[in-house]
Amino acid sequence: MTTATAPAVDSEKSERTGRAPGRSGIGVGRPGFAWAAPAALFFGLFAIVPLGMLVVLSFASWNGLGEPQFAGFDNWKKLLDDPVMLESLWLSVLLTVLGVAVQTPISILLGVWAAGRQRNRAVLTAIYFVPLLLSITAVSVLWRAVLDPNFGVPAQVQWLFGDGNLLGKQASAIGVLVFVATWQFTPLHTLIYQGAARAIPQVLYQAAEIDGAGRVRKFFHITLPQLRNSVITSVILMVVGGLTTFDTVLILTQGGPGTDTTISAYYMYQKAFKSFDFGTGSAIALLLVLVATIISLITVKLSGYDKMRSTQEGV
């Protein structure tokens, strides 16, 4: 014969032990540090330790052979007196700003569109995401062949591209770098906005329709504010990616013409692996880390992203 007092007993026991009823031996609350230990170990070995070695080498003189020799602030003084370094830092910031300015509006519009229920949307979205599946090297080689001044598209459409040597002038070379980065990485940011747009409660749009709001007003007054967190995340990714761009410059322009597209990451490669000045190369790399970190922190602070606690987008 069964009794009806078992649930009460379970409830009473759960209040005393702090455990959920019906799940004996399983505690409720935050996971212990052991759950994060593998990720923390991986991050420490492949991020913190190399960063520490980078800091040490930035104050040393080393050509890759023998023991590094302590050089104090000599590497940093050389960077401050190096006009190419100052120009490369300016070019890195310029490419980053142009990348954010071009990719952000395109990504938002495509992401919001991809979150809808249009006909053939899934097929078109899958085709659009193909560039994201390719490596940066493959994309760079592809566009170098397409933009070849002798056999590529510019040679066939001279009325539009003139002599066709788009990589032979600073302005057009920078434009090509921005275009190639946009072509490859816009799908990634589109995916971020697509997921965020699908998470927006439909009741907001229904209420706006009752008030007579059209598609444009709903986009600017509902969709964009609700995508605020995603915009900040996307911009930070663009900033970090823009400041560390290397493969595209190496394959497309090699820093040319002259030093007109020699960004900081490529200049670091030249110093460390061509001139074998690993001390100066490490100082440039550390400077890039500091600049990217500062810009990211400023973005988070000014946007108020660090004060948001809600799990809902835009709240």
Side-chain angles (χ1 to χ4, degrees), residues 204-221:
L204 298 178
Y205 295 105
Q206 294 168 0
E209 288 179 0
I210 294 175
D211 291 337
R215 180 175 298 180
V216 175
R217 288 192 64 185
K218 285 189 291 185
F219 176 78
F220 284 101
H221 293 277

Side-chain angles (χ1 to χ4, degrees), residues 224-248:
L224 275 184
Q226 293 291 314
L227 294 179
R228 179 184 178 186
N229 291 4
S230 296
V231 170
I232 298 169
T233 302
S234 176
V235 168
I236 291 175
L237 290 175
M238 290 180 189
V239 168
V240 175
L243 292 176
T244 56
T245 298
F246 170 73
D247 312 61
T248 309

Side-chain angles (χ1 to χ4, degrees), residues 267-278:
Y267 193 50
M268 172 195 68
Y269 162 77
Q270 286 184 318
K271 283 292 186 182
F273 298 100
K274 285 192 172 182
S275 301
F276 298 102
D277 187 356
F278 288 94

Side-chain angles (χ1 to χ4, degrees), residues 9 14 25 34 43 47 56 72 98 115 126 131 133 137 186 206 220 222 224 228 239 244 288 300-301:
V9 173
S14 66
F43 182 77
V56 173
L98 291 176
L133 305 178
T137 303
T186 295
Q206 294 168 0
F220 284 101
I222 296 178
L224 275 184
R228 179 184 178 186
V239 168
T244 56
L288 282 175
V300 170
K301 190 66 176 178

Side-chain angles (χ1 to χ4, degrees), residues 124-161:
L124 293 175
T125 302
I127 295 175
Y128 178 73
F129 279 106
V130 169
L132 190 59
L133 305 178
L134 304 176
S135 68
I136 301 177
T137 303
V139 170
S140 301
V141 171
L142 169 66
W143 282 106
R144 184 173 180 85
V146 171
L147 299 175
D148 187 278
N150 299 312
F151 308 103
V153 174
Q156 309 301 323
V157 195
Q158 294 184 355
W159 60 270
L160 180 61
F161 295 101

